[in-house]
Amino acid sequence: MLSRRVIVCLDVEGGRVVKGVQFESLREIGDPAVLASRYELEGADEIVLLNIAAHADGVARLPDIVRRTAERLFIPLTVGGGIGSVEDAGRMLRAGADKISINSASVARPEVITEAAEKFGSQCVVASIDARREQNGWRVYTHGGRNATSLDAASWAARCSQLGAGEILITSIDRDGTRDGFDLELTSAVARVVTVPVIASGGGGGSAHIIEVLSVGGADAALMAGAFHDGTCSIEEVKTAMRKTGLPARVAA
């Protein structure tokens, strides 16, 4: 069995890492390069750096932030937020990213996933999906959770996989920042319809939540931010708990 991954997310705005609840009420955490390096030393398997700045300046500054962060890391770095074309993806990969995450742009023009996968390889392309629970399913939202679409999250995940995405990052907007646990039903619904790895995001607050989503939710990786930033949970604690429950986990270098 392949090792399950513990991923740390760094939401970046104005060159600094921030964290909020349900994509709102942001507070500053620190410098992305410094935090990424620290989390690698603590045993993180990957870092996801997401530009959440809605304005063009945030996208323009991203390659420099990626470069500063990547030069400190040996673990994979995924970069997303404002990537709308193969050219954007190329800039991030040349700056040092190992993977790029595409969200809103793929809803507007799904072909961008295929174009990126054909140019850089599916292993470099992560389809990021933000979803809210509605009635018996989950609706896909874009632009930082502000714009509702007509897409069902599980169906859209399946389409993204067919288009060439090598991974699916599924985020529960309802759970984001709450630390009440991942949305197991949402994660399971996505994992059932794709053959590529699924990363669960939104709601993680501790080791028990990560173990639950990896073992019950069908996720291949769990992404967490706030609990790591605040020190209420450590990566070492998560990895120890995983191994005790039989989930394979990479040992920190």
Side-chain angles (χ1 to χ4, degrees):
M1 186 183 295
L2 294 175
S3 293
R4 303 299 180 87
R5 291 169 290 154
V6 177
I7 301 174
V8 181
C9 184
L10 306 178
D11 290 335
V12 175
E13 183 177 59
R16 305 291 288 177
V17 176
V18 297
K19 190 67 186 84
V21 176
Q22 296 178 342
F23 294 11
E24 298 179 349
S25 304
L26 301 177
R27 56 191 174 87
E28 185 176 311
I29 303 296
D31 179 81
V34 172
L35 286 170
S37 179
R38 189 188 91 192
Y39 287 130
E40 178 178 31
L41 290 173
E42 292 177 359
D45 296 306
E46 296 185 21
I47 300 293
V48 169
L49 192 156
L50 294 179
N51 165 50
I52 63 170
H55 47 78
D57 179 57
V59 178
R61 296 178 61 181
L62 197 53
D64 179 60
I65 297 169
V66 172
R67 195 172 292 109
R68 288 196 304 109
T69 304
E71 67 186 8
R72 294 187 177 216
L73 296 178
F74 290 98
I75 59 175
L77 172 65
T78 298
V79 177
I83 296 176
S85 65
V86 170
E87 290 73 26
D88 291 338
R91 278 193 288 272
M92 299 310 160
L93 294 170
R94 286 192 295 274
D98 299 282
K99 309 176 195 178
I100 51 95
S101 171
I102 306 177
N103 189 332
S104 302
S106 62
V107 173
R109 199 174 72 85
E111 296 81 6
V112 71
I113 293 177
T114 304
E115 292 166 0
E118 289 178 346
K119 187 170 182 64
F120 305 115
S122 290
Q123 78 283 352
C124 288
V125 182
V126 180
S128 180
I129 301 172
D130 298 331
R132 289 186 189 272
R133 183 183 288 270
E134 289 191 8
Q135 298 178 343
N136 297 322
W138 296 267
R139 183 185 295 271
V140 174
Y141 279 70
T142 63
H143 298 87
R146 295 186 298 276
N147 295 351
T149 74
S150 61
L151 298 170
D152 168 76
S155 298
W156 176 234
R159 176 88 192 284
C160 289
S161 175
Q162 293 163 0
L163 288 166
E167 286 186 297
I168 304 294
L169 169 58
I170 181 69
T171 300
S172 166
I173 299 174
D174 304 300
R175 299 294 184 95
D176 179 69
T178 65
R179 306 190 195 183
D180 290 334
F182 297 93
D183 189 328
L184 301 181
E185 292 182 45
L186 169 60
T187 308
S188 297
V190 170
R192 281 195 298 269
V193 298
V194 301
T195 56
V196 298
V198 173
I199 304 167
S201 171
S207 300
H209 293 154
I210 289 180
I211 289 169
E212 188 178 42
V213 80
L214 294 176
S215 57
V216 180
D220 299 274
L223 179 150
M224 202 159 74
F228 289 144
H229 296 335
D230 294 347
T232 57
C233 178
S234 71
I235 297 168
E236 181 181 4
E237 176 187 329
V238 172
K239 294 289 188 74
T240 299
M242 287 171 62
R243 286 189 286 269
K244 284 182 178 179
T245 56
L247 286 169
R250 183 184 68 87
V251 178

